[in-house]
Amino acid sequence: CRFSQMLHPIFEEASNVIKEEYPDKNQVVFARVDCDQHSDIAQRYRISKYPTLKLFRNGMMMKREYRGQRSVTAIADYIRQQKSNPIRDVQDLEEISSLDRSRRNIIGYFEEKDSDNYRTFERVANILHDDCVFLSAVGAISKAERFSGDNVIYKPPGENAPDMVYLGSLTNFDLIYAWTQDKCVPLVREITFENGEELTEEGLPFLILFHMKDDLESLEKFQQEVARQLISEKGTINFLHADCDKFRHPLLHIQKTPADCPVIAIDSFRHMYVFPDFSDLSLPGKLKQFVLDLHSGKLHREFHHGPDPTDVAPGQPIQDLASSPPESSFQKLAPSEHRYTLLREKDEL
């Protein structure tokens, strides 16, 4: 790969720069993988474009890969930023009352930093600091909040949203990480031009609500039904919402315009499938069946061959679809030689 060959000396020089700043080999490790020789590794981490720079922490691959400039300075600066403390120290509990409540805040109250509780909290913050703001109050200033020992709370977005307290073991990394990830990464995320490629690289199809930016009622209904009907499908499909005005192009793929919003669709990265009627969203099991029909192949099959015979009433002719199903729109963000196409269309909208 010509681009990999171009990056190789830059990557190596950046590793030498960082090695001088962090001589302890356990602090930062630079590694190269030949994906022709180690296709199993490439497959495990869904590497399909070259070169790809992935960041790992504590053995876990971070979902945001490095997409900055391919220069020694930029890569070294990225590592320095990653090594910075992800936790902001609170000097006075009054600071908590003035937090930015548009953000997701995780606050830890600890007797001391030199403790297993704090070190576990720090590990979690290192992994999820892009999704949440992490703060800590340590020592005497946190005493009022430690009447039952060290603790961690979550302050969700919204001025009147109630706090949530972590009730598990503070030294159990798996437990506190799962709890924090659940709070920091919402079940239904917004897809934007900035994170579209990143979401695509997670490798899961999209269930998307297209809605007008100020139509919060439709978004709330969608969030409620996803939580009610599809929580068991988390990990098999990404639940997303998108601004109809910004994403006119994907709507055109399914012959819709912002005037038709709200619209629900699945993008499988092969085709886009439209949920028949938004007003059916709250019908028990309707949205779940739509997703199950994707997994079973029914949506793809019916797009090409018409309704399954078992779904056609006696005497009703089977529909013959002469036209092709709408192609995926977000596949243009997926790893391929065309991966920047949709991003460029941003300027034309």
Side-chain angles (χ1 to χ4, degrees), residues 5 20 37 70 74 76 111 131 191 199 206 233 241 261 283 289 322:
Q5 291 174 355
E20 290 182 7
Q37 292 186 5
R70 264 49 173 173
E111 183 176 4
D131 301 295
I191 184 169
L199 288 170
F206 294 165
E233 295 301 316
H241 67 99
C261 290
L283 293 179
Q289 190 60 53

Side-chain angles (χ1 to χ4, degrees), residues 1 6 25 89 113 127 137 144 154 164 183 194 196 221 223 232 243 275 284-285 288 303 306 313 337-338:
C1 169
M6 291 167 59
K25 64 180 181 180
D89 289 333
K113 286 188 176 182
I127 296 170
Y154 166 60
M164 300 180 191
K183 303 298 178 284
E194 289 70 32
K221 286 181 180 178
Q223 290 170 327
S232 62
D243 185 329
F275 186 69
K288 182 170 185 176
F303 256 128
E337 59 183 352
H338 303 298

Side-chain angles (χ1 to χ4, degrees), residues 227-242:
R228 181 179 296 126
Q229 299 186 41
L230 295 172
I231 193 68
S232 62
E233 295 301 316
K234 185 178 180 181
T236 68
I237 190 166
N238 269 329
F239 310 117
L240 307 170
H241 67 99

